[in-house]
Amino acid sequence: MSDLQGISIQDFVQHIWGFNSALLQSCSYTASRVLEKDYARCVSGPGRSKAFCDLVEDAHNQVSRHVKLPRHHNLKLVPIIGSTPIYSDYDSQDSDSYQRSASSYQRPDAIVIGEGVQHYDSNGRPLFKNIALCVAFKKDGALSEEHQEEDRILSDQRSSEPMVNLGTKRKSDGRTTGQNKRAKVMTQRSDESQATEKELTWDEWQLVGHAMRSLSDVGNRRFVTGIFVKDFSMTLWYFDRISAIKSEELCFLREPSLFALVVAALFSCDAEHLGYEPLLQHADCADWPFSSVKDSVLTFPFYSTSDSQEIKTPVDFNVVDNALYIQHGVVGRGTVVLPVRLSPGAQCKDVKANRNYVAKFSWPLSSRDEEDKVIWQIRKSVGQKWQRYVPDLKLSMTINDANKVVFLPREYLKGLNSPPSELRVLRILVSPRYEHLRDARSLAEFQKVFVHLVRVHRVVYVKAGVLHRDLSTGNLMFNRDKRDNAYGILNDWDLCEEADTNPKADTAPFRQRAGTLPFMAMDLLCENPPVHRYRHDLESFFWILIWAVFHFELNGKERPSNDLVNSWMTGSWHSMLSAKRTFFWEEEVAHYLLEEMTPALRPLLGIWIAPLLKMFMKYRSACSAHNARQFKKIMDAARLNEVNEVVRWDREYCDDSSDDEDDNRMEGKNVEGKAVGDDDIAGDGLDGKIENEVTSRTDTEGSGKTESEDNGKVDDGHDDLPDEEPWNEETANDTVTFEKFMIAIGQSPELPLD
């Protein structure tokens, strides 16, 4: 979260909602005294959403009588009565359903929706697919101090205020709350983690939650906006995959002209300025046109092909069903996968009209390697034999600052003097539609595909010098040849990096981690993760296999995630790490594994799971021993420094003693001035306390030696370990290698590269 220069209300409505304030220059608006008092009576309690919506409707009606406002979708603001906690389960059965965990949250207090469009489902949950914008209120409580003056304002006689010069900065009246405040910009601090902001209140986080659900429900939103109402003021919010921006405050009772401007702009929004993906268009839709992507048309104004051709002729694809995958969240890649086919009459190089394809939308960091170019380079590097195991990417399109085919409103916002820490681009890739690992028809087919994937992962690492870094059940896929034989496809290379078998130590204060939580290697589950290595990806294969035996029933069927694996993806980094460590050492886990395995994959327990578990237990033991040696080394150095400091203090004390004590000052000490014997010999005072502490530590270790005689070494239970032993970080001293992994699953460790 960065605190950047704020945007004004005028800039927000102009550049985000696309409204021209000049339309209102000949208009006037008089706020209803009755409606204001109605709102004041329930500003901190029940009924406020209805009262606020009445104020908005009155303002809209007054403005509409004077000005013909643009009206695209007959929008209206609807209060939600009884904003109580409900549950969202997203009813997902895909392998990434862990990202859609059931969680309690508040309903929106009010929503903007198309007239006549349903906004509840049969269980009383909001239908975010139909909601254009959400409004959240500060919940019950006393009025904020800065708003207690509103009672006085409501008691004053007020006259109409003509709305003129709305395009200029509002003038100060000495009372306006929020004036000159700066907008808050939430930015992501790692590639996949969500933005965190301690300054946000719980109520504001509810608005963030509503934005997440709007972005994640259908998969057709490029950005969303929202309104937060705090007592008698409101702020306008903008959320995209780069960051979230909060405007300055508007006190809608003190500044009726700006309030009317916001209302006019809100109800004049078209689809693009409400944040709906402009590359997706419904040719004819009798229902609310944004509740589904099915039957829409995806238009590529330009695109690139695998032979580096830039095609300027537009091409259309039909979206044949709802999204296959939507990554939930606000800031991040926001991946959406749509099933598509070439539109009738359209032509595109290497794309066949009778084939099924997918279009992958994502917002990767602009600083990352371009996924489309990486895939095409991998295919060239691995050779013809291995190309079939890498996605056959047909075309791609990237929208960035240099190519503003479709804009993001943030590009036009004034006052954002510096960009967020991580800029993102929109990238769309089209490739054949593959099957997931769970779609294997038999155990033998599952094993065959899994082995293909481990092998091609190694080939890409060796021949192309690329490490995947984000292995998950979602990107382990397969295709079928003309004889209906399955072969693996290792998909999704947007987080890959160039392999470095001898990476330098990373001393940066922050390192971006990559991976999908339940399949992430244990070493990476910490605040400051180490360099991502090949063995970490091998460990991800192991966790994927564990996930599979718990959940996959094959033929596309999958069980909901169970409690054990849920603990691998919730809580702190330490708790997730502890949960995975438990899997290796707790006896109960073995019984749980036997009980919870799906019948289809149960045979893998003896032939794959047990040997791999043994290999990774040796790996963990090797790591523990290495860490123990490192800890011992650090402690030895620290204790030696401590002893030397005691000696220095003791010598200084002795040097400061009077001549009368010269004959006795060495009594009870050895030749180096260190205390020996019991407390009576050591003496009293600061010198005695220090000496007693050294004596106590030395004696309790039972070595029979002083610290100086033991060179400051600590008996930590690892004296049998060599003080120095070579450590290979890349393979954890040869405990985790491709060869050992393949042998563990009964496969040849040989890797033919031709």
Side-chain angles (χ1 to χ4, degrees):
M1 185 84 157
S2 302
D3 192 2
L4 304 179
Q5 180 65 36
I7 60 172
S8 67
I9 297 296
Q10 293 94 328
D11 282 342
F12 192 102
V13 300
Q14 177 184 353
H15 297 302
I16 296 179
W17 285 342
F19 186 77
N20 182 5
S21 60
L23 290 174
L24 304 184
Q25 287 185 350
S26 61
C27 179
S28 63
Y29 159 65
T30 303
S32 168
R33 183 179 177 85
V34 173
L35 293 179
E36 287 182 340
K37 287 187 174 181
D38 287 345
Y39 179 80
R41 280 194 292 268
C42 55
V43 64
S44 297
R48 57 181 173 266
S49 60
K50 174 64 167 59
F52 179 79
C53 290
D54 289 342
L55 282 171
V56 170
E57 183 179 4
D58 178 64
H60 184 242
N61 290 338
Q62 288 193 46
V63 173
S64 298
R65 286 196 294 266
H66 295 87
V67 179
K68 186 177 181 179
L69 296 173
R71 197 164 179 85
H72 298 281
H73 302 293
N74 292 325
L75 299 173
K76 64 176 183 177
L77 181 65
V78 178
I80 304 298
I81 307 301
S83 183
T84 55
I86 60 175
Y87 288 88
S88 173
D89 57 16
Y90 290 98
D91 298 326
S92 171
Q93 295 299 320
D94 62 67
S95 61
D96 296 288
S97 59
Y98 55 85
Q99 296 194 28
R100 310 176 181 194
S101 58
S103 58
S104 175
Y105 68 96
Q106 295 287 130
R107 291 185 178 94
D109 293 280
I111 57 175
V112 173
I113 197 167
E115 189 172 357
V117 176
Q118 183 181 1
H119 55 276
Y120 279 127
D121 65 11
S122 59
N123 296 316
R125 295 174 297 190
L127 290 172
F128 282 92
K129 66 180 182 179
N130 290 336
I131 297 174
L133 179 150
C134 292
V135 180
F137 284 71
K138 180 179 80 70
K139 298 302 181 282
D140 298 351
L143 281 179
S144 302
E145 184 177 347
E146 65 266 30
H147 291 300
Q148 292 177 0
E149 189 184 358
E150 306 304 332
D151 289 335
R152 183 186 63 79
I153 294 177
L154 289 175
S155 66
D156 293 340
Q157 184 68 30
R158 302 183 59 186
S159 60
S160 64
E161 178 185 359
M163 295 192 301
V164 294
N165 300 322
L166 293 180
T168 61
K169 195 74 174 177
R170 60 185 177 187
K171 295 181 180 179
S172 172
D173 61 0
R175 298 179 303 168
T176 302
T177 61
Q179 182 173 340
N180 297 326
K181 287 190 176 182
R182 297 185 296 169
K184 304 297 184 181
V185 181
M186 282 194 304
T187 57
Q188 181 186 3
R189 287 299 180 183
S190 70
D191 197 35
E192 291 307 306
S193 63
Q194 289 303 305
T196 57
E197 174 48 57
K198 295 180 180 179
E199 295 179 5
L200 292 185
T201 65
W202 184 88
D203 301 309
E204 288 174 324
W205 272 116
Q206 291 297 316
L207 185 62
V208 176
H210 302 329
M212 184 274 288
R213 289 170 178 86
S214 296
L215 284 168
S216 308
D217 199 70
V218 178
N220 61 347
R221 300 296 288 267
R222 184 167 291 192
F223 65 88
V224 297
T225 54
I227 298 174
F228 183 76
V229 181
K230 177 184 178 182
D231 300 336
F232 295 96
S233 69
M234 59 191 295
T235 48
L236 308 181
W237 292 65
Y238 164 89
F239 303 89
D240 63 17
R241 299 301 182 178
I242 299 173
S243 68
I245 301 174
K246 174 184 175 182
S247 79
E248 59 187 356
E249 288 187 1
L250 161 63
C251 181
F252 48 85
L253 298 188
R254 295 173 180 173
E255 301 174 283
S257 60
L258 279 181
F259 178 64
L261 172 63
V262 169
V263 172
L266 173 60
F267 291 105
S268 300
C269 272
D270 59 16
E272 184 173 350
H273 289 89
L274 286 170
Y276 291 96
E277 178 55 63
L279 296 178
L280 290 169
Q281 296 290 331
H282 277 277
D284 182 23
C285 185
D287 198 359
W288 178 250
F290 313 115
S291 59
S292 173
V293 293
K294 184 180 179 180
D295 299 327
S296 62
V297 176
L298 169 61
T299 299
F300 286 78
F302 64 90
Y303 56 92
S304 300
T305 62
S306 59
D307 54 6
S308 300
Q309 291 190 56
E310 294 285 343
I311 309 297
K312 302 300 182 181
T313 304
V315 62
D316 292 341
F317 287 83
N318 289 345
V319 182
V320 298
D321 207 340
N322 292 325
L324 299 172
Y325 171 77
I326 303 174
Q327 183 179 28
H328 283 246
V330 179
V331 177
R333 286 178 293 166
T335 303
V336 175
V337 180
L338 304 179
V340 299
R341 297 189 78 166
L342 193 64
S343 298
Q347 294 184 347
C348 184
K349 182 180 179 181
D350 293 333
V351 176
K352 298 179 181 179
N354 61 347
R355 288 287 303 276
N356 293 321
Y357 298 89
V358 294
K360 173 186 173 183
F361 290 68
S362 65
W363 292 86
L365 297 174
S366 58
S367 58
R368 281 210 168 277
D369 293 337
E370 300 172 43
E371 184 183 9
D372 48 354
K373 294 181 179 179
V374 169
I375 292 175
W376 287 327
Q377 184 57 48
I378 287 174
R379 290 179 64 85
K380 291 178 182 178
S381 300
V382 298
Q384 185 174 0
K385 174 181 177 179
W386 293 98
Q387 284 180 1
R388 72 194 306 239
Y389 303 103
V390 179
D392 184 14
L393 183 60
K394 297 299 183 182
L395 60 93
S396 67
M397 183 177 78
T398 300
I399 299 176
N400 50 31
D401 290 338
N403 191 351
K404 297 180 181 179
V405 175
V406 187
F407 76 104
L408 275 181
R410 68 166 49 252
E411 298 173 11
Y412 301 94
L413 297 178
K414 300 175 183 178
L416 298 180
N417 295 329
S418 60
S421 57
E422 297 178 333
L423 296 175
R424 294 178 180 271
V425 299
L426 173 59
R427 182 164 293 124
I428 309 174
L429 311 179
V430 174
S431 61
R433 182 173 177 177
Y434 302 122
E435 297 182 76
H436 287 85
L437 194 57
R438 65 171 179 264
D439 298 320
R441 298 171 183 171
S442 65
L443 176 61
E445 189 169 84
F446 175 93
Q447 291 177 277
K448 176 183 177 182
V449 169
F450 189 87
V451 171
H452 286 170
L453 294 166
V454 178
R455 288 193 185 278
V456 70
H457 176 268
R458 179 64 178 179
V459 170
V460 172
Y461 179 75
V462 173
K463 296 197 70 173
V466 174
L467 184 61
H468 192 283
R469 301 198 325 140
D470 186 27
L471 298 172
S472 72
T473 56
N475 49 46
L476 298 192
M477 311 187 79
F478 65 92
N479 201 8
R480 295 187 183 277
D481 60 22
K482 294 180 180 179
R483 297 182 179 180
D484 205 33
N485 294 319
Y487 58 93
I489 302 286
L490 186 53
N491 203 17
D492 290 343
W493 294 87
D494 47 353
L495 289 182
C496 71
E497 280 191 355
E498 182 178 347
D500 187 353
T501 57
N502 188 26
K504 297 179 181 179
D506 188 350
T507 57
F510 178 83
R511 182 188 297 114
Q512 293 177 346
R513 71 172 46 77
T516 304
L517 277 178
F519 317 116
M520 196 178 291
M522 288 187 287
D523 285 354
L524 305 179
L525 297 175
C526 58
E527 291 294 338
N528 297 301
V531 174
H532 196 121
R533 301 175 186 275
Y534 176 78
R535 64 177 170 87
H536 294 138
D537 272 12
L538 281 183
E539 187 177 338
S540 292
F541 274 118
F542 171 73
W543 294 117
I544 290 169
L545 193 59
I546 298 300
W547 177 284
V549 299
F550 274 134
H551 301 98
F552 289 178
E553 296 178 341
L554 302 182
N555 291 302
K557 297 179 181 179
E558 183 175 357
R559 296 177 178 177
S561 59
N562 59 40
D563 293 339
L564 178 64
V565 297
N566 283 337
S567 66
W568 301 348
M569 50 192 172
T570 56
S572 65
W573 294 116
H574 178 73
S575 64
M576 289 186 287
L577 174 60
S578 296
K580 284 195 170 181
R581 281 177 174 167
T582 299
F583 185 83
F584 284 103
W585 306 115
E586 291 292 334
E587 218 176 283
E588 291 79 5
V589 172
H591 298 291
Y592 187 83
L593 186 62
L594 285 169
E595 293 174 357
E596 297 297 323
M597 286 184 67
T598 63
L601 298 185
R602 185 177 295 275
L604 293 181
L605 181 59
I607 60 176
W608 277 16
I609 302 296
L612 284 174
L613 190 59
K614 183 177 180 181
M615 183 190 80
F616 279 104
M617 289 180 72
K618 289 182 178 179
Y619 152 68
R620 294 309 305 171
S621 296
C623 287
S624 296
H626 171 66
N627 292 336
R629 282 190 293 270
Q630 295 300 106
F631 180 77
K632 176 178 171 62
K633 185 176 180 180
I634 293 172
M635 291 300 295
D636 284 351
R639 293 290 297 276
L640 182 58
N641 290 338
E642 180 184 352
V643 170
N644 289 339
E645 184 66 12
V646 170
V647 173
R648 184 182 66 80
W649 276 52
D650 185 66
R651 286 175 175 170
E652 289 179 358
Y653 176 82
C654 291
D655 290 341
D656 291 339
S657 301
S658 66
D659 291 341
D660 295 337
E661 296 174 341
D662 283 347
D663 294 338
N664 299 320
R665 66 179 183 177
M666 291 302 295
E667 183 179 346
K669 300 189 177 82
N670 64 14
V671 293
E672 293 189 19
K674 296 179 183 177
V676 293
D678 55 25
D679 291 346
D680 293 333
I681 299 177
D684 299 322
L686 177 63
D687 185 40
K689 290 180 180 179
I690 295 174
E691 292 173 349
N692 287 335
E693 178 68 12
V694 176
T695 304
S696 174
R697 293 182 184 180
T698 304
D699 290 345
T700 55
E701 291 176 357
S703 63
K705 301 179 182 178
T706 64
E707 289 284 356
S708 61
E709 293 172 317
D710 203 27
N711 294 321
K713 293 183 179 180
V714 182
D715 181 6
D716 57 4
H718 293 285
D719 285 341
D720 57 323
L721 297 173
D723 290 337
E724 296 292 339
E725 179 175 306
W727 176 256
N728 185 333
E729 189 67 41
E730 187 63 31
T731 63
N733 272 19
D734 204 37
T735 56
V736 180
T737 65
F738 168 77
E739 292 77 15
K740 281 188 163 74
F741 192 100
M742 297 303 286
I743 291 172
I745 60 175
Q747 302 295 316
S748 169
E750 300 297 325
L751 186 67
L753 298 179
D754 297 328

